[in-house]
Amino acid sequence: MSEAALHPNVVALRSPPDAPSQTAPRRPRRFNVEGFAAVLVMLAAWQFASTIFPPFLFPSLGTVATTTIDVLRDPVAFGTIILTYARIILWLAIGFVAATAIGIWAARYPSVDRALIPLIQIKQGVPGICWAIFAIIWFEGMETRIAFVVVISTLPSLFFQARDAFRAIAPELWDMVRALRPSRWAMATRLILPAMQPAMFTGLRINLGTAARVTLTAELLAGISGIGHHLRTAQEQFRMDTVLAWTIMIIIFVIVSDFILARLE
Protein backbone atom coordinates (compact mmCIF):
# COMPACT_ATOMS: atom_id res chain seq x y z
CA MET A 1 0.00 0.00 0.00
CA SER A 2 1.29 3.43 -0.88
CA GLU A 3 2.36 6.08 1.64
CA ALA A 4 -0.48 8.32 0.41
CA ALA A 5 -3.03 5.71 1.45
CA LEU A 6 -1.44 5.13 4.89
CA HIS A 7 -0.63 8.72 5.82
CA PRO A 8 -2.66 11.11 3.66
CA ASN A 9 -2.22 14.05 6.09
CA VAL A 10 1.58 13.71 6.14
CA VAL A 11 1.76 13.63 2.38
CA ALA A 12 -0.50 16.66 2.23
CA LEU A 13 1.90 18.53 4.51
CA ARG A 14 4.91 17.43 2.52
CA SER A 15 3.35 18.38 -0.79
CA PRO A 16 1.58 21.70 -0.34
CA PRO A 17 -0.44 23.04 -3.21
CA ASP A 18 1.31 25.27 -5.62
CA ALA A 19 1.68 28.73 -4.08
CA PRO A 20 1.26 31.82 -6.18
CA SER A 21 4.44 33.28 -7.53
CA GLN A 22 6.16 35.77 -5.22
CA THR A 23 7.16 37.91 -8.17
CA ALA A 24 3.88 38.56 -9.86
CA PRO A 25 4.12 40.55 -13.06
CA ARG A 26 3.65 44.26 -12.53
CA ARG A 27 0.31 45.51 -13.69
CA PRO A 28 0.42 48.20 -16.34
CA ARG A 29 -0.36 51.61 -14.95
CA ARG A 30 -3.88 52.78 -15.57
CA PHE A 31 -4.25 56.10 -17.30
CA ASN A 32 -4.98 58.79 -14.70
CA VAL A 33 -8.36 59.89 -15.98
CA GLU A 34 -9.11 62.00 -12.90
CA GLY A 35 -5.80 63.86 -13.09
CA PHE A 36 -6.21 64.48 -16.81
CA ALA A 37 -9.72 65.81 -16.21
CA ALA A 38 -8.44 68.13 -13.46
CA VAL A 39 -5.83 69.58 -15.83
CA LEU A 40 -8.48 70.13 -18.50
CA VAL A 41 -10.71 71.93 -16.00
CA MET A 42 -7.79 74.16 -14.96
CA LEU A 43 -7.02 75.02 -18.59
CA ALA A 44 -10.67 75.71 -19.33
CA ALA A 45 -10.88 78.01 -16.30
CA TRP A 46 -7.78 79.88 -17.48
CA GLN A 47 -9.18 80.28 -20.97
CA PHE A 48 -12.44 81.58 -19.55
CA ALA A 49 -10.54 84.06 -17.37
CA SER A 50 -8.65 85.28 -20.46
CA THR A 51 -11.98 86.43 -21.94
CA ILE A 52 -12.73 88.56 -18.89
CA PHE A 53 -9.39 89.96 -17.74
CA PRO A 54 -6.77 91.86 -19.78
CA PRO A 55 -4.00 89.86 -21.52
CA PHE A 56 -1.25 91.03 -19.17
CA LEU A 57 -3.11 89.18 -16.38
CA PHE A 58 -4.57 86.14 -18.16
CA PRO A 59 -3.29 85.65 -21.73
CA SER A 60 -5.18 83.13 -23.82
CA LEU A 61 -3.93 79.56 -24.13
CA GLY A 62 -3.18 80.17 -27.81
CA THR A 63 -0.95 83.13 -26.95
CA VAL A 64 0.87 81.12 -24.30
CA ALA A 65 1.37 78.22 -26.72
CA THR A 66 2.75 80.55 -29.41
CA THR A 67 5.18 82.18 -26.97
CA THR A 68 6.31 78.77 -25.69
CA ILE A 69 7.06 77.59 -29.23
CA ASP A 70 8.99 80.81 -29.90
CA VAL A 71 11.10 80.18 -26.80
CA LEU A 72 11.91 76.64 -27.91
CA ARG A 73 12.82 77.78 -31.42
CA ASP A 74 15.19 80.49 -30.22
CA PRO A 75 18.73 79.02 -29.93
CA VAL A 76 19.71 81.51 -27.22
CA ALA A 77 16.60 80.76 -25.18
CA PHE A 78 17.10 77.02 -25.64
CA GLY A 79 20.66 77.37 -24.35
CA THR A 80 19.26 79.21 -21.32
CA ILE A 81 16.93 76.29 -20.62
CA ILE A 82 19.78 73.79 -20.81
CA LEU A 83 21.90 75.96 -18.52
CA THR A 84 19.25 76.02 -15.79
CA TYR A 85 18.61 72.28 -16.18
CA ALA A 86 22.34 71.59 -15.81
CA ARG A 87 22.55 73.75 -12.69
CA ILE A 88 19.68 71.90 -11.04
CA ILE A 89 21.06 68.45 -11.85
CA LEU A 90 24.67 69.24 -10.94
CA TRP A 91 24.08 70.89 -7.58
CA LEU A 92 21.32 68.47 -6.58
CA ALA A 93 23.71 65.58 -7.31
CA ILE A 94 26.44 67.19 -5.20
CA GLY A 95 23.96 67.83 -2.38
CA PHE A 96 22.80 64.22 -2.65
CA VAL A 97 26.33 62.84 -2.29
CA ALA A 98 27.16 65.18 0.60
CA ALA A 99 23.90 64.48 2.48
CA THR A 100 24.29 60.72 1.99
CA ALA A 101 27.82 60.75 3.40
CA ILE A 102 26.79 62.89 6.38
CA GLY A 103 23.71 60.77 6.99
CA ILE A 104 25.74 57.54 7.07
CA TRP A 105 28.26 59.21 9.39
CA ALA A 106 25.48 60.26 11.76
CA ALA A 107 23.89 56.80 11.65
CA ARG A 108 27.17 55.11 12.58
CA TYR A 109 28.05 57.49 15.41
CA PRO A 110 25.21 58.59 17.75
CA SER A 111 27.29 61.45 19.15
CA VAL A 112 27.61 62.91 15.65
CA ASP A 113 23.87 62.55 15.16
CA ARG A 114 23.14 64.38 18.43
CA ALA A 115 25.48 67.18 17.41
CA LEU A 116 23.97 67.59 13.93
CA ILE A 117 20.26 67.44 14.76
CA PRO A 118 20.08 70.94 16.35
CA LEU A 119 21.90 72.42 13.35
CA ILE A 120 19.50 70.69 10.95
CA GLN A 121 16.53 71.98 12.93
CA ILE A 122 17.88 75.54 12.88
CA LYS A 123 18.41 75.25 9.13
CA GLN A 124 14.84 74.07 8.59
CA GLY A 125 13.56 77.15 10.40
CA VAL A 126 15.24 79.50 7.91
CA PRO A 127 13.13 80.19 4.77
CA GLY A 128 14.66 79.43 1.40
CA ILE A 129 14.49 83.07 0.35
CA CYS A 130 16.76 83.95 3.29
CA TRP A 131 19.40 81.48 2.11
CA ALA A 132 19.27 83.09 -1.33
CA ILE A 133 19.85 86.51 0.25
CA PHE A 134 22.68 85.11 2.37
CA ALA A 135 24.29 83.70 -0.78
CA ILE A 136 24.05 87.07 -2.55
CA ILE A 137 25.79 88.79 0.37
CA TRP A 138 28.43 86.13 1.02
CA PHE A 139 29.44 85.04 -2.49
CA GLU A 140 30.35 86.95 -5.62
CA GLY A 141 30.09 84.28 -8.30
CA MET A 142 26.67 83.32 -9.66
CA GLU A 143 27.40 79.60 -9.76
CA THR A 144 28.67 79.64 -6.18
CA ARG A 145 25.47 81.30 -5.04
CA ILE A 146 23.28 78.73 -6.78
CA ALA A 147 25.40 75.84 -5.51
CA PHE A 148 25.14 77.08 -1.94
CA VAL A 149 21.38 77.61 -2.06
CA VAL A 150 20.59 74.26 -3.69
CA VAL A 151 22.86 72.20 -1.44
CA ILE A 152 21.77 73.88 1.79
CA SER A 153 18.07 73.66 0.84
CA THR A 154 18.07 69.96 -0.06
CA LEU A 155 20.51 68.73 2.57
CA PRO A 156 18.13 68.22 5.56
CA SER A 157 15.65 65.97 3.76
CA LEU A 158 18.37 63.95 2.04
CA PHE A 159 20.26 63.70 5.34
CA PHE A 160 17.29 62.16 7.16
CA GLN A 161 16.59 59.80 4.27
CA ALA A 162 20.19 58.53 4.28
CA ARG A 163 20.46 58.26 8.06
CA ASP A 164 17.17 56.38 8.48
CA ALA A 165 17.87 54.12 5.49
CA PHE A 166 21.25 53.12 6.94
CA ARG A 167 19.69 52.42 10.32
CA ALA A 168 16.98 50.29 8.71
CA ILE A 169 19.44 47.71 7.37
CA ALA A 170 18.60 44.47 9.17
CA PRO A 171 21.25 43.14 11.61
CA GLU A 172 20.94 39.72 9.94
CA LEU A 173 22.16 41.21 6.68
CA TRP A 174 25.15 42.78 8.42
CA ASP A 175 26.06 39.43 10.00
CA MET A 176 25.64 37.51 6.76
CA VAL A 177 27.86 39.88 4.75
CA ARG A 178 30.50 40.20 7.48
CA ALA A 179 30.80 36.40 7.56
CA LEU A 180 32.23 36.63 4.06
CA ARG A 181 34.98 39.02 5.26
CA PRO A 182 34.36 41.64 2.56
CA SER A 183 36.47 44.69 1.94
CA ARG A 184 35.04 48.11 2.73
CA TRP A 185 34.33 48.67 -0.94
CA ALA A 186 32.52 45.34 -1.22
CA MET A 187 30.54 46.10 1.95
CA ALA A 188 29.44 49.43 0.52
CA THR A 189 28.55 48.16 -2.95
CA ARG A 190 27.04 44.81 -1.97
CA LEU A 191 25.07 45.78 1.14
CA ILE A 192 24.92 49.44 2.15
CA LEU A 193 24.15 51.16 -1.15
CA PRO A 194 21.66 48.54 -2.45
CA ALA A 195 19.82 48.57 0.88
CA MET A 196 19.66 52.37 0.93
CA GLN A 197 18.74 52.77 -2.73
CA PRO A 198 14.90 52.89 -2.46
CA ALA A 199 14.92 55.53 0.28
CA MET A 200 17.54 57.62 -1.49
CA PHE A 201 15.64 57.61 -4.77
CA THR A 202 12.58 58.76 -2.84
CA GLY A 203 14.65 61.56 -1.36
CA LEU A 204 15.83 62.62 -4.80
CA ARG A 205 12.28 62.71 -6.14
CA ILE A 206 11.11 64.77 -3.17
CA ASN A 207 13.96 67.27 -3.48
CA LEU A 208 13.83 67.60 -7.26
CA GLY A 209 11.15 70.27 -7.06
CA THR A 210 12.96 71.99 -4.18
CA ALA A 211 16.18 72.19 -6.20
CA ALA A 212 14.30 73.63 -9.18
CA ARG A 213 12.55 76.26 -7.06
CA VAL A 214 15.64 77.48 -5.23
CA THR A 215 17.69 77.56 -8.43
CA LEU A 216 15.09 79.79 -10.06
CA THR A 217 14.96 81.93 -6.91
CA ALA A 218 18.73 82.49 -7.03
CA GLU A 219 18.62 83.27 -10.76
CA LEU A 220 15.64 85.56 -10.24
CA LEU A 221 17.19 87.60 -7.45
CA ALA A 222 20.79 87.91 -8.58
CA GLY A 223 21.26 86.10 -11.86
CA ILE A 224 22.30 87.41 -15.23
CA SER A 225 21.52 84.13 -16.98
CA GLY A 226 19.14 81.21 -16.71
CA ILE A 227 15.38 80.85 -16.67
CA GLY A 228 15.06 82.88 -13.48
CA HIS A 229 16.75 85.86 -15.13
CA HIS A 230 14.31 85.72 -18.06
CA LEU A 231 11.39 85.42 -15.64
CA ARG A 232 12.47 88.66 -13.97
CA THR A 233 12.79 90.39 -17.35
CA ALA A 234 9.31 89.20 -18.38
CA GLN A 235 7.88 90.38 -15.08
CA GLU A 236 9.37 93.85 -15.56
CA GLN A 237 7.72 94.01 -18.99
CA PHE A 238 4.35 92.67 -17.71
CA ARG A 239 4.56 89.79 -20.22
CA MET A 240 2.48 87.13 -18.51
CA ASP A 241 2.60 84.90 -21.59
CA THR A 242 6.41 84.90 -21.45
CA VAL A 243 6.37 84.21 -17.71
CA LEU A 244 4.15 81.19 -18.33
CA ALA A 245 6.30 79.99 -21.23
CA TRP A 246 9.42 79.92 -19.05
CA THR A 247 7.45 78.36 -16.20
CA ILE A 248 6.34 75.57 -18.52
CA MET A 249 10.02 74.79 -19.19
CA ILE A 250 10.55 74.10 -15.49
CA ILE A 251 7.34 72.07 -15.20
CA ILE A 252 8.48 69.87 -18.09
CA PHE A 253 11.87 69.36 -16.46
CA VAL A 254 10.40 68.33 -13.11
CA ILE A 255 7.83 65.95 -14.63
CA VAL A 256 10.32 64.25 -16.97
CA SER A 257 13.00 63.98 -14.27
CA ASP A 258 10.55 62.53 -11.77
CA PHE A 259 9.39 59.99 -14.38
CA ILE A 260 12.99 58.91 -15.03
CA LEU A 261 13.76 58.57 -11.32
CA ALA A 262 10.57 56.57 -10.79
CA ARG A 263 11.64 54.16 -13.55
CA LEU A 264 15.14 53.81 -12.11
CA GLU A 265 13.73 53.25 -8.63
Side-chain angles (χ1 to χ4, degrees):
M1 185 177 296
S2 66
E3 183 180 3
L6 291 175
H7 305 288
N9 293 333
V10 173
V11 174
L13 290 174
R14 290 180 180 177
S15 305
D18 294 337
S21 175
Q22 297 296 326
T23 57
R26 182 181 297 180
R27 295 181 180 180
R29 293 186 177 181
R30 183 177 66 89
F31 179 72
N32 188 355
V33 178
E34 297 83 359
F36 183 72
V39 172
L40 290 180
V41 170
M42 180 191 68
L43 294 177
W46 183 279
Q47 183 64 25
F48 176 75
S50 69
T51 64
I52 301 175
F53 298 98
F56 69 88
L57 293 179
F58 288 91
S60 67
L61 296 180
T63 303
V64 175
T66 301
T67 305
T68 303
I69 294 174
D70 292 340
V71 168
L72 291 173
R73 286 178 175 176
D74 185 358
V76 176
F78 189 77
T80 296
I81 296 170
I82 299 301
L83 175 62
T84 297
Y85 287 3
R87 285 170 171 167
I88 297 171
I89 294 172
L90 174 62
W91 302 124
L92 178 59
I94 291 177
F96 171 78
V97 173
T100 301
I102 297 172
I104 293 175
W105 186 34
R108 287 178 58 87
Y109 302 101
S111 59
V112 174
D113 184 48
R114 290 192 297 269
L116 290 177
I117 289 301
L119 301 178
I120 297 293
Q121 292 174 337
I122 292 174
K123 186 274 152 198
Q124 290 180 314
V126 180
I129 188 68
C130 292
W131 290 112
I133 295 174
F134 295 161
I136 294 172
I137 296 174
W138 289 341
F139 307 110
E140 182 178 358
M142 181 63 197
E143 299 305 326
T144 307
R145 293 171 178 173
I146 296 176
F148 173 78
V149 174
V150 173
V151 172
I152 202 70
S153 298
T154 58
L155 189 134
S157 175
L158 292 172
F159 164 80
F160 285 120
Q161 291 280 352
R163 186 198 64 176
D164 295 343
F166 187 88
R167 288 177 174 176
I169 300 176
E172 294 81 6
L173 291 177
W174 285 109
D175 295 338
M176 181 177 64
V177 174
R178 283 170 178 156
L180 302 175
R181 300 180 181 274
S183 63
R184 291 185 177 182
W185 174 254
M187 177 72 78
T189 56
R190 299 297 178 87
L191 173 62
I192 298 175
L193 294 182
M196 295 176 62
Q197 178 180 331
M200 298 313 299
F201 268 106
T202 301
L204 273 177
R205 295 179 64 185
I206 292 173
N207 285 276
L208 184 64
T210 301
R213 288 192 298 272
V214 297
T215 299
L216 258 66
T217 300
E219 292 178 345
L220 184 67
L221 292 177
I224 57 174
S225 62
I227 293 177
H229 169 70
H230 286 274
L231 282 172
R232 185 176 71 248
T233 303
Q235 177 265 325
E236 293 171 349
Q237 298 172 352
F238 288 90
R239 289 292 305 274
M240 188 62 180
D241 57 327
T242 306
V243 170
L244 290 174
W246 287 110
T247 303
I248 289 171
M249 299 301 106
I250 288 296
I251 294 173
I252 292 173
F253 170 79
V254 172
I255 292 176
V256 172
S257 300
D258 183 74
F259 176 80
I260 294 174
L261 289 175
R263 289 296 182 181
L264 293 175
E265 185 180 4

